[in-house]
Amino acid sequence: MTTTSLTRRRFASTLGALACMPALAAGGAAALPGDSVYQLRATLTDHHGRAFELASLRGAPVLVTMFYTSCEMVCPMLFETIRFTLDALPVAQRSGARVLMVSFDPARDTVPVLAQTARTRGCDERWTLARCDERTAREIAAALGLQYRRLDSGEFNHSSTIELLDADGRIAARTGRLGSVDPAFVKAIGQAGAKPA
Amino acid sequence: MKKAVLTIALAACAAAAAAADYVALPGGRFESVLPQGAVPARSTPVDVPAFALRATPVTLGEYLAFVQQHPLWQRERTPALFADRRYLIDWSAPTRLPAGASPASPVVNVSWFAARAFCESEDARLPTWLEWEYAAAADESRRDARSDPAWRRRVLAWYERPASALLPAVGGPPNAYGVRDLHGLVWEWVDDFNALFIAGDSRTQGDPDLLKFCGSGAINIIDRDSYAVLMRIALLSSLNAADSTGTLGFRCARPVQGFHP
């Protein structure tokens, strides 16, 4: 039994619970901390076309950042940096790591585009490339403390930090280093993973 | 007559206690102080689509009705992700207004998330920066008074006044669109506040921090004489979504389709 399938099952049951429970806290687990990003009611669609609630990621640390596919400068570096970071984790932690990349360009980043990006960037099952409506994207960015701005040309200016959410969705660390591994960030991922959810 | 229809529609979605007054603004070509094009230093006018804007900022009385109907937004119940400790800090109790304050004064000490939730409750949203700036460019008779030095001085004069503890009631003179209090009363949240990051060109030149932002780095300001508007941007760009401050309120916007005042 891999961690992946466990998470998937928890994910599915959370979705089920949400459908009949419009209240705040997701699932039946311990109360969500007030400053958890999972306090957001945000529905996204992954690069396989499956809908999921942001809060369904609760239970394991997640690296989160925002991007857009047609970006040619920093975004490829974001993917690369996260890959380097995952590779720098101790072997025992590597398979349990999770990555969520949220597009702020839903008009162009359709599910097929995200699927293609996942293939091009060599994203394995640990990665989720996701899209959501503009309103939700703005809200997720606000909760993560990320900034982005659409230019008239369709390009975006955006912050390029990577956030680490702990198992309960609190921002545990962030890094602005691109192109190489940030040792402090790798250490923080290990610490977040060691804490029980 | 049409107003009555709108009022009924609002009541139907169990919104604010009294229907808020929205003013329709025609769309137009507008040159923002923030560059909208790919070249950061060059001004490129953009089309602002028509929209409707609340005639006045949201008042204390309106916000009180909101937290009574949506207890989750009472200060002791709101998760920290959505509002910091200063949220409604000036209120006497979670459902009681600040001592001595008029219900007609603008609500302040509200976070971006809270402002957004309020607007949603009356089937609206926060205006974008561009919409706010577009509406705020008007004086009483002109839709774009920004090049008039006298108008600039008048607007700026407010920012020089020390903030008083108790804010006056909303309802200042209407501008050319019929919108009130865009200048002179409170600062206001916009929906895309986290799109307003600024860096002067001197700081980003060859700066390793440039990579904090993808693309052309950050925003340059085109019209450096618009101090009043620049201060707004500087404030908004310094805030986090959960922050609340004693001079920052909000108003809501709506699509203009099917709405003819």
Side-chain angles (χ1 to χ4, degrees):
Chain A
M1 181 72 47
T2 66
T3 325
T4 313
S5 56
L6 266 178
T7 312
R8 289 250 166 82
R9 247 196 300 161
R10 182 190 300 211
F11 166 72
S13 67
T14 309
L15 271 187
L18 278 171
C20 49
M21 207 181 61
L24 248 198
L32 205 53
D35 57 350
S36 169
V37 170
Y38 299 149
Q39 293 280 357
L40 276 185
R41 300 288 76 194
T43 306
L44 302 94
T45 305
D46 71 13
H47 61 283
H48 304 292
R50 293 179 295 224
F52 68 100
E53 286 293 315
L54 184 65
S56 69
L57 298 174
R58 190 179 181 190
V62 189
L63 302 185
V64 188
T65 192
M66 296 184 79
F67 79 112
Y68 70 111
T69 290
S70 52
C71 166
E72 285 168 2
M73 190 177 149
V74 171
C75 306
M77 287 176 74
L78 275 173
F79 279 89
E80 232 170 73
T81 305
I82 293 175
R83 227 177 22 244
F84 292 159
T85 304
L86 293 177
D87 289 348
L89 289 171
V91 179
Q93 289 171 2
R94 272 182 220 169
S95 65
R98 292 285 169 275
V99 180
L100 174 67
M101 310 269 302
V102 181
S103 168
F104 39 69
D105 189 10
R108 288 184 292 183
D109 284 344
T110 58
V111 168
V113 169
L114 292 179
Q116 179 59 43
T117 307
R119 279 192 296 275
T120 312
R121 302 278 165 219
C123 302
D124 58 25
E125 70 283 350
R126 294 173 296 181
W127 297 65
T128 301
L129 276 51
R131 67 189 299 281
C132 52
D133 59 51
E134 273 181 47
R135 185 182 162 77
T136 306
R138 187 55 77 191
E139 207 160 65
I140 292 173
L144 293 172
L146 297 176
Q147 296 169 305
Y148 71 89
R149 158 180 168 75
R150 189 183 179 282
L151 301 174
D152 210 32
S153 62
E155 299 300 297
F156 288 82
N157 284 354
H158 62 97
S159 42
S160 55
T161 54
I162 302 163
E163 317 289 311
L164 167 67
L165 301 186
D166 71 13
D168 276 335
R170 276 173 301 206
I171 297 172
R174 60 168 53 103
T175 183
R177 190 191 287 195
L178 286 180
S180 64
V181 170
D182 178 346
F185 194 60
V186 170
K187 198 173 158 201
I189 299 170
Q191 285 166 347
K195 281 181 207 146
Chain B
M1 183 62 191
K2 274 169 184 162
K3 199 160 201 166
V5 174
L6 176 77
T7 311
I8 292 163
L10 277 173
C13 55
D21 197 8
Y22 279 75
V23 176
L25 281 80
R29 199 94 179 126
F30 184 68
E31 196 173 324
S32 171
V33 298
L34 298 177
Q36 304 290 312
V39 183
R42 194 181 306 152
S43 161
T44 41
V46 291
D47 286 317
V48 179
F51 64 103
L53 192 63
R54 247 180 179 265
T56 54
V58 172
T59 64
L60 278 168
E62 289 166 333
Y63 202 82
L64 175 62
F66 167 70
V67 301
Q68 282 166 341
Q69 282 165 27
H70 303 86
L72 181 69
W73 290 101
Q74 292 172 16
R75 67 184 181 199
E76 273 144 34
R77 304 199 196 180
T78 307
L81 182 77
F82 299 135
D84 67 3
R85 288 203 186 94
R86 289 194 50 87
Y87 175 56
L88 301 181
I89 195 172
D90 51 333
W91 287 34
S92 313
T95 55
R96 196 177 303 160
L97 299 184
S102 158
S105 291
V107 64
V108 290
N109 288 316
V110 282
S111 68
W112 177 82
F113 281 111
R116 239 184 175 215
F118 177 96
C119 292
E120 215 167 80
S121 79
E122 60 178 41
D123 201 21
R125 57 175 174 80
L126 287 173
T128 64
W129 166 259
L130 203 56
E131 288 169 339
W132 192 94
E133 189 189 359
Y134 179 74
D139 69 359
E140 284 87 343
S141 56
R142 295 165 290 186
R143 287 182 176 171
D144 193 344
R146 294 177 299 170
S147 58
D148 179 355
W151 159 244
R152 287 185 174 192
R153 272 196 303 275
R154 244 176 76 198
V155 169
L156 205 54
W158 169 62
Y159 296 86
E160 293 164 357
R161 284 207 307 268
S164 56
L166 287 176
L167 292 163
V170 303
N175 73 7
Y177 299 111
V179 183
R180 300 163 192 269
D181 306 317
L182 286 160
H183 300 283
L185 194 55
V186 284
W187 309 78
E188 296 180 30
W189 280 112
V190 294
D191 194 57
D192 53 349
F193 81 100
N194 57 354
L196 305 175
F197 37 99
I198 313 170
D201 11 37
S202 57
R203 273 201 315 157
T204 45
Q205 286 283 328
D207 189 328
D209 276 353
L210 183 62
L211 278 183
K212 272 185 191 158
F213 294 104
C214 175
S216 41
I219 293 170
N220 291 272
I221 301 294
I222 288 168
D223 183 357
R224 289 168 192 276
D225 292 329
S226 300
Y227 300 115
V229 167
L230 296 190
M231 279 192 283
R232 296 253 170 185
I233 295 171
L235 173 82
L236 289 168
S237 70
S238 72
L239 294 171
N240 291 308
D243 290 347
S244 316
T245 88
T247 50
L248 181 62
F250 68 101
R251 73 179 75 215
C252 314
R254 274 197 191 131
V256 82
Q257 292 95 323
F259 166 57
H260 308 281

